[in-house]
Amino acid sequence: MTDRRSFIRKSIGVGVTLPFLSPSIAGAESIFSTSKAEGPLIMCSRGTGWGERVLAPAQEIMKNGGALLDAIEKAANVTELDPDDMSVGYGGLPDEDGVVTLDASFMDGKTHNCGSVAAIERIKTPSSVARLVMERTDHIYLVGEGAFRFARAHGFPEENLLTDRARKVWLRWKENSSDKDDWLPPEDGDYGLEKRPTGTINILGFDANGDLAGCTTTSGLFGKIKGRIGDSPIIGAGLYVDNEVGAAGATGRGEEVIRMCGSFYVVANMRAGMSPQQACEAACKKIIDINGGAANVNFNDKFVALSKSGEVGCAQIMGNDKRLPHLSYWAPEKGFQVASGSYLIET
Ligand code: ASP
């Protein structure tokens, strides 16, 4: 284990260049690193305004010597329970039928166990259910009605997830999405949103022993076909943790992340010697390449990563809002910090 850590550090130190990377990507530095590799360290894929709020319960748990999995779960629950976050949990934007369906995954590096729920309805905290799939079943994926029944068996209340705000956004979208159906928009015809919104949250961390874990949770793509699941619940796509190396998570257009096993790709590149920042940028570049170049990419994907040695990285193809940083983290020695990733495509 020590060898692996020092291997990664040494590789970064000598600026290792992998042959399939462009010079600019290979030369990228990690956004920041902790002064020492010992944890705990918890990060999330949200920046200013969100990060502090999301990480607050995790900080509290870790400061009091609590378990990493509890810290990550409680951090994920913050966005899931917030009706104002329209991309995760309660208040999330619905599918094309106006039904909120949620995806989430959990992975524990120490045991290399994982659990996921996909297309689950009427349960506000899918990350907690995903953790229970990991810990209390011999399965990895539960979907739809089966996931719901499993949650109910564990005492989760059945609740309405569609807020009035989300319903109105959906209704405007429905009324404006075709001129061949019988839905008519109101006179102002306003779509209500500038573009089809996206969003998800990744929480990654390691504890004082250096054991890693992670969680990804989302309401998925707004207006999706009923039954669609994205990358978030797919182990290796929306989330991957390797206790010897690091952890990674993805947000954005899930179909692209699934077809290049995004989070696994990031961690595999870290195992090969890249810093988390280099690995996140390499994943963005891979998606651009798969699509035949930047000219064909009009969507966003974002990766965040954490190495076992305490480095953090974040990159996205195009920013939803370039003014905002897109990653925050907390570690006892450095406190709360925010950083933005780099963009491969300038829009
Ligand atoms: N990755 C999510 C999905 O495709 C959505 C998002 O992050 O915006 O379901």
Side-chain angles (χ1 to χ4, degrees):
M1 209 72 82
T2 315
D3 288 340
R4 168 62 57 195
R5 281 191 192 188
S6 50
F7 166 73
I8 291 172
R9 277 214 214 92
K10 228 187 271 170
S11 304
I12 292 159
V14 298
V16 69
T17 303
L18 298 180
F20 52 90
L21 290 176
S22 73
S24 63
I25 290 174
E29 293 298 322
S30 188
I31 292 173
F32 44 73
S33 64
T34 53
S35 50
K36 62 186 180 89
E38 283 73 34
L41 189 156
I42 311 263
M43 58 172 274
C44 76
S45 57
R46 300 275 175 94
T48 317
W50 277 100
E52 249 154 331
R53 221 150 52 77
V54 169
L55 294 178
Q59 291 172 27
E60 219 32 54
I61 289 170
M62 297 315 284
K63 271 188 203 161
N64 294 322
L68 177 67
L69 294 181
D70 292 341
I72 289 177
E73 180 186 341
K74 292 298 170 234
N77 290 167
V78 171
T79 44
E80 289 173 333
L81 294 171
D82 185 341
D84 292 332
D85 185 315
M86 300 181 92
S87 67
V88 177
Y90 174 52
L93 290 172
D95 66 13
E96 67 176 356
D97 298 336
V99 178
V100 180
T101 70
L102 306 177
D103 297 341
S105 56
F106 226 106
M107 189 158 184
D108 178 8
K110 193 175 172 187
T111 57
H112 211 77
N113 276 343
C114 39
S116 290
V117 291
I120 188 171
E121 297 177 21
R122 310 189 299 282
I123 300 290
K124 280 184 176 171
T125 53
S127 65
S128 300
V129 187
R131 181 179 171 188
L132 281 169
V133 172
M134 173 173 81
E135 293 178 339
R136 300 286 291 276
T137 78
D138 197 24
H139 303 320
I140 291 178
Y141 294 104
L142 290 181
V143 306
E145 189 60 20
F148 170 74
R149 285 191 204 170
F150 173 77
R152 293 288 294 130
H154 277 276
F156 287 76
E158 176 173 358
E159 294 178 278
N160 171 37
L161 303 185
L162 187 67
T163 57
D164 215 40
R165 185 170 164 225
R167 182 190 59 76
K168 283 179 182 153
V169 171
W170 168 78
L171 185 60
R172 286 295 173 97
W173 171 79
K174 186 90 180 160
E175 290 174 335
N176 285 282
S177 57
S178 171
D179 55 10
K180 296 191 174 61
D181 63 22
D182 297 324
W183 292 78
L184 298 178
E187 269 177 18
D188 65 12
D190 182 21
Y191 176 79
L193 292 165
E194 273 176 23
K195 58 181 181 180
R196 204 170 174 180
T198 57
T200 291
I201 190 160
N202 316 116
I203 321 274
L204 308 172
F206 58 78
D207 62 17
N209 299 322
D211 289 320
L212 290 140
C215 171
T216 294
T217 181
T218 189
S219 54
L221 188 67
F222 171 43
K224 61 194 172 188
I225 296 174
K226 187 165 188 62
R228 178 263 188 194
I229 62 172
D231 59 318
S232 307
I234 308 291
I235 302 301
L239 175 71
Y240 193 69
V241 178
D242 182 331
N243 217 38
E244 291 185 340
V245 179
T251 60
R253 191 175 145 73
E255 282 72 9
E256 300 295 333
V257 176
I258 291 170
R259 67 193 184 119
M260 47 78 75
C261 301
S263 293
F264 182 81
Y265 186 88
V266 170
V267 174
N269 276 324
M270 284 158 61
R271 179 177 278 280
M274 285 190 206
S275 69
Q277 181 62 26
Q278 289 170 334
C280 289
E281 294 189 11
C284 291
K285 185 175 183 301
K286 178 75 179 173
I287 290 175
I288 292 166
D289 289 348
I290 285 172
N291 282 278
N296 301 323
V297 176
N298 64 352
F299 53 81
N300 193 28
D301 278 306
K302 180 176 95 175
F303 294 93
V304 295
L306 167 67
S307 75
K308 200 172 172 77
S309 58
E311 289 180 300
V312 177
C314 172
Q316 61 184 339
I317 292 173
M318 53 175 78
N320 289 330
D321 183 341
K322 290 184 184 178
R323 289 167 304 165
L324 290 179
H326 293 278
L327 178 153
S328 43
Y329 94 122
W330 171 83
E333 283 190 359
K334 294 212 159 189
F336 182 82
Q337 296 213 8
V338 182
S340 58
S342 54
Y343 307 95
L344 295 183
I345 299 178
E346 291 298 329
T347 54

